Amino acid sequence: MTELEGDGPPSTGPVADPQGDPFLHTRFAVPARPVTFLRRERLTRHLDEALRTPLTMVNGAAGAGKTLLVADWAQTRDGPVVAWLTTDAAGQGPGMFWAYLLRALSASGIALPEDIGFPADASRVPPTLPARLAAGLSAREQPVVVVLDEYDRVAAPEIAEQLEFVLRHAGRGLRLVLVTRTEPLLPLHRYRAAGELTEIRGAELAFAPGEAAELLELHGLRLPPAVVRALLERTRGWAAGLRLCALAARQSPDPERYLEEFEVDHSTIADYLLAEVLKRQDDETQDLLLRVSLLDRFRPELADVLTCRSDAGAILARLSRGNAFVEHLGHGQYRLHPLFREILRAHLRMQRPGLEPELHRRAAEWLRRSGSLAEALGHGAAAGDWEFTTGALVDDLAIGQFFTGPRSGAVTELFSRMGQDTTGPAAQLVRAARELSRNGDGEGRAHLHRAERRLADYDGMVDGAADRAAVGLSRALLEALAARLAGSPGRAENAARTAGQLREAVPDQLLDRHPELTALLLDHLGSARLWAGRFEAAREALSAVAGAEAGATTALPREDSLGRLALIDYLDGWLGRAERTARTALAETERFGLPRPSGSGVERLVLAAVAVERDELEQAQALLEASAEAHPAMRDPVLEAGRALVAARLHLARGDPRAALAAVEPQVPADVASPWVQGQAALVAATAHLSEGRTEAAAALLRRVPDDQAACAVGAARVQLAVGRPAEAVRLLDRARPEGSCGPAVTVRAALVRAQAAHQRGDAAASHRLVARALLEARRERLRRPFHEAGPWIRPLLDTASLRGLTSGWLVPGAAPPDGGPARHAHRPPPVVEELSGRERDVLRRLALMMSTEEIAADLYVSVNTVKTHLKSVYRKLSVSRRNEAVRRARELGLL
């Protein structure tokens, strides 16, 4: 410790306090720092401001590190004399306080005027003492720094008034530093307004990640960043908690595992908090703290319900001001420190066994009445009251939360704890929703059938028209989903009609609170209509969802609806519009940070199909694989059939007709066959047969192609032409007239069929004119596949001088554009599947610096698993599989 000089030798002064007992010199000693003490320069620099302001307050909870911080500052800095007093004696009266303060000044070498006097009575102080002390200090050339530790023990207003008088009149001769757990009885507002107050509070005292790691190293613990972060989150940077954990972990053979798994209620932390915080409170306050420990956050009104009293507001305000590990969050909300809450919960179970379920039940009922459904469900489940919990979910029309929104995973997990003994309509609906949300396809087919039987078995009655309507609407939603997954458009229409009738009996504010219910219903209906080939009716339902107000709870149905609108555009031949809509769909769930798989995958499927049409086959393969990541409840026949068709077309583009046949041969399970799927599958199979010379097999497949869809008619015309029936091919096109309703992917093929038919009958001018028209249409969309599929007859035409300019720069790889400049598409990497998020770009930049996964996690303060998830997403979006490929591709695209 630096020697601090006073103005003269220490005053002899009285050797006993006003009660005649010897002074306890430990109260004047600056506390010693432990060998594991960590100096935090940011706090020390802040404390240096104490020399420029009359008043400094270091205010924090027990164990926040206040005293050691100020002690280290006092012992290591040069400058004015520091007088230290631990104010244990404050509770014994003003006389005792001032006697100890005068003795502290004397012990630090401060020469005081002899006329100041000395308190002879522990309960009072001579009226002249504060004035004479202030006058003596104001005459000093150098200020004296007085540190009053544990100032929260000073409760007498008289002492506070006297101390503030001395501070105000001592001028530059006194710098007062208060170390306290509570707000002192001083006019702090006045000092703040004048810029004369230095404050260090609990949030600033909390350890930062780097500081926590250094502290643990001082205790001999070198731990992975993820372990340090987890410990920091659990302790909220509380100094005593970190030190006690470190001391306990150092005694463990596996410190890392100890810190990950330690039970706080069986540790020295529990002993510390019970002694320093809980036991200092009166019985009513202890009772309140134990009961509210079951709550993550709470209002005084809820605390009153748990205690059956009405004094929670005053108690909580006092505890918050007193830094008793009760934090006021604003707007009347409070919460306990997480470690303190864990200890109190354990103490509650030990002291009052059997009380928890009743407290959870009271909390659940109050929270439900106040509109806090999520918290009500949690407490209802904790109470084991599943009839209440399932009823609350269904009556609130929140059944859609199993499928969409940020809480879908939490809701599914919550109700997975429900046993089979809970009966009633709400419980049946919840079980069905849980199974549908987890097992929508594949091996979950058995779960789907069980869910359907449960829905069909329900014919009970529920009290109240609104409650009956809520149950009915929830049932209609699940029936629509079950019908969609089963490929049953008629059942979906019936469910939608039922829902429309029931909406009239439901309060508008309830429907407004859960927009996801309507969005999901319309999305399921639109997809079922799409499966049935009713494209315009499907577009109507899907557009209503896509045009609804965006939000986290409706992000999934909005994404799915946009993806299916993109699919309709693709099927109608509008590639550019399909691509734009699909990319809009991709951004929908990502912008709300929903967990993966959060979407249907159909938008990636559309982008894969567009990439096949543009002959970007590697990009198509990556997108097709990415489309497999789909929410279980969205893996319906539309998606499965679409994946099979795109995979088959990709095989055809790669020259593998057998693989194409294998891809479209299996039938997608569905109650009703889809006409467009049947037609498209037949056309793909016919093309595969033709490529291997099986013309009869190809012709036989045309019977399965519907004649009322222009796209299918054009495909059938191509097959007719290939099997030697040009006149029939032209008749099909004349009857379908795709030019008036379809996009370039259909009309370009129609023009090429007509061009080939003209070529076969020797009309070179018509053939040339039709190919030119097809090239002009296709160029805007970079539509290459129709020309590659057309066959050898078109190659001489494309090589003619008059058409070469229309193919240059996009149709022939590496060809120069008409202006003679460099080829725009030669060697250009395919575009990213979807935009990288900000965090994915952060990971990518560190990847380019050759940082390991662990180093990236430490640098970004996230877990290794989180980094791996981001890397997987980056690889998928860049269509690569390794780190070096990702970095190279990112540089090609200008992302680095």
Side-chain angles (χ1 to χ4, degrees), residues 874-890:
V874 168
Y875 295 164
R876 174 179 59 77
K877 291 180 179 182
L878 296 181
S879 303
V880 299
S881 58
R882 288 188 288 274
R883 287 172 166 241
N884 57 343
E885 293 174 353
V887 173
R888 184 176 65 252
R889 180 84 196 287

Side-chain angles (χ1 to χ4, degrees), residues 705-765:
V705 178
D707 57 6
D708 60 344
Q709 293 184 8
C712 287
V714 171
R718 290 180 61 240
V719 175
Q720 293 283 14
L721 187 64
V723 298
R725 303 170 186 167
E728 181 62 26
V730 173
R731 275 195 299 272
L732 279 173
L733 294 180
D734 290 342
R735 190 163 57 243
R737 302 184 63 83
E739 293 80 8
S741 59
C742 296
V746 176
T747 57
V748 165
R749 284 185 168 88
L752 291 178
V753 169
R754 293 183 185 277
Q756 187 177 358
H759 175 79
Q760 290 179 0
R761 65 176 181 264
D763 189 347

Side-chain angles (χ1 to χ4, degrees), residues 37 39-53 55-59 65-77 84 145 147 175-179 198-201 204-205:
F37 174 78
R39 178 176 297 118
R40 295 185 280 169
E41 294 297 336
R42 64 180 177 89
L43 295 178
T44 303
R45 288 194 299 271
H46 194 171
L47 261 180
D48 285 339
E49 296 180 16
L51 301 179
R52 295 191 288 273
T53 59
L55 180 61
T56 295
M57 180 177 66
V58 183
N59 188 339
K66 308 180 296 296
T67 297
L68 289 179
L69 166 66
V70 179
D72 176 67
W73 174 78
Q75 290 176 311
T76 56
R77 51 166 299 287
W84 187 284
V145 178
V147 177
R175 296 291 180 259
L176 182 62
V177 179
L178 305 181
V179 183
T198 299
E199 293 182 81
I200 297 179
R201 291 183 172 270
E204 191 175 354
L205 290 168

Side-chain angles (χ1 to χ4, degrees), residues 841 844-845 848 886-888 890-891 893-896:
R841 287 175 180 266
L844 185 60
R845 282 191 284 268
V887 173
R888 184 176 65 252
R891 287 187 173 129
L893 294 168
L895 299 176
L896 290 174

Side-chain angles (χ1 to χ4, degrees), residues 292-342:
V292 299
S293 67
L294 298 180
L295 308 170
D296 291 331
R297 56 181 62 202
F298 49 90
R299 303 178 67 86
E301 296 87 345
L302 176 53
D304 285 335
V305 168
L306 299 189
T307 60
C308 299
R309 300 198 309 268
S310 59
D311 56 355
I315 293 175
L316 291 170
R318 172 173 56 80
L319 291 171
S320 177
R321 289 195 304 269
N323 284 312
F325 291 85
V326 176
E327 181 183 1
H328 185 217
L329 303 175
H331 306 289
Q333 292 266 5
Y334 291 86
R335 71 178 174 192
L336 302 178
H337 187 286
L339 287 180
F340 192 36
R341 187 173 66 240
E342 285 184 59

Side-chain angles (χ1 to χ4, degrees), residues 579-877:
E579 181 183 36
R580 290 190 296 274
T581 305
R583 293 195 178 280
T584 302
L586 278 174
E588 186 63 27
T589 53
E590 184 167 301
R591 67 172 167 152
F592 291 106
L594 300 183
R596 301 192 71 90
S598 57
S600 69
V602 72
E603 61 275 10
R604 294 183 182 85
L605 183 65
V606 171
L607 291 173
V610 170
V612 171
E613 291 292 291
R614 291 172 176 167
D615 217 35
E616 297 166 349
L617 304 187
E618 290 185 6
Q619 181 79 345
Q621 182 65 51
L623 285 160
L624 182 61
E625 292 172 359
S627 70
E629 291 186 28
H631 192 291
M634 300 295 174
R635 293 175 187 154
D636 63 356
V638 171
L639 177 64
E640 298 307 316
R643 280 179 51 78
L645 288 169
V646 175
R649 289 200 173 98
L650 183 57
H651 289 308
L652 287 176
R654 287 173 168 167
D656 192 347
R658 293 186 180 180
L661 282 171
V664 296
E665 194 171 85
Q667 293 292 316
V668 174
D671 292 351
V672 175
S674 172
W676 67 267
V677 170
Q678 279 190 325
Q680 296 282 356
L683 292 170
V684 169
T687 304
H689 285 305
L690 286 172
S691 66
E692 295 196 324
R694 295 188 291 272
T695 56
E696 291 184 5
L701 286 168
L702 291 179
R703 290 192 295 270
R704 293 164 48 189
V705 178
D707 57 6
D708 60 344
Q709 293 184 8
C712 287
V714 171
R718 290 180 61 240
V719 175
Q720 293 283 14
L721 187 64
V723 298
R725 303 170 186 167
E728 181 62 26
V730 173
R731 275 195 299 272
L732 279 173
L733 294 180
D734 290 342
R735 190 163 57 243
R737 302 184 63 83
E739 293 80 8
S741 59
C742 296
V746 176
T747 57
V748 165
R749 284 185 168 88
L752 291 178
V753 169
R754 293 183 185 277
Q756 187 177 358
H759 175 79
Q760 290 179 0
R761 65 176 181 264
D763 189 347
S767 179
H768 185 281
R769 185 178 65 256
L770 288 163
V771 171
R773 191 175 76 190
L775 285 169
L776 284 171
E777 283 195 69
R779 185 172 187 170
R780 291 194 299 271
E781 299 274 11
R782 304 197 312 278
L783 184 60
R784 302 183 182 94
R785 281 311 304 166
F787 300 94
H788 296 171
E789 296 168 349
W793 70 272
I794 201 173
R795 290 170 193 156
L797 271 175
L798 295 177
D799 199 37
T800 59
S802 57
L803 293 182
R804 198 178 299 133
L806 295 177
T807 66
S808 178
W810 70 277
L811 183 61
V812 180
D819 60 6
R824 286 176 294 168
H825 298 285
H827 309 299
R828 192 176 84 176
V832 293
V833 174
E834 57 185 282
E835 292 297 321
L836 271 64
S837 67
R839 183 57 85 183
E840 288 165 354
R841 287 175 180 266
D842 291 340
V843 170
L844 185 60
R845 282 191 284 268
R846 286 158 179 78
L847 209 63
L849 297 174
M850 304 298 289
M851 295 174 69
S852 68
T853 304
E854 290 75 14
E855 290 170 334
I856 295 173
D859 198 45
L860 293 177
Y861 295 106
V862 297
S863 70
V864 172
N865 285 337
T866 299
V867 173
K868 289 179 178 177
T869 299
H870 287 316
L871 284 175
K872 181 180 177 183
S873 183
V874 168
Y875 295 164
R876 174 179 59 77
K877 291 180 179 182

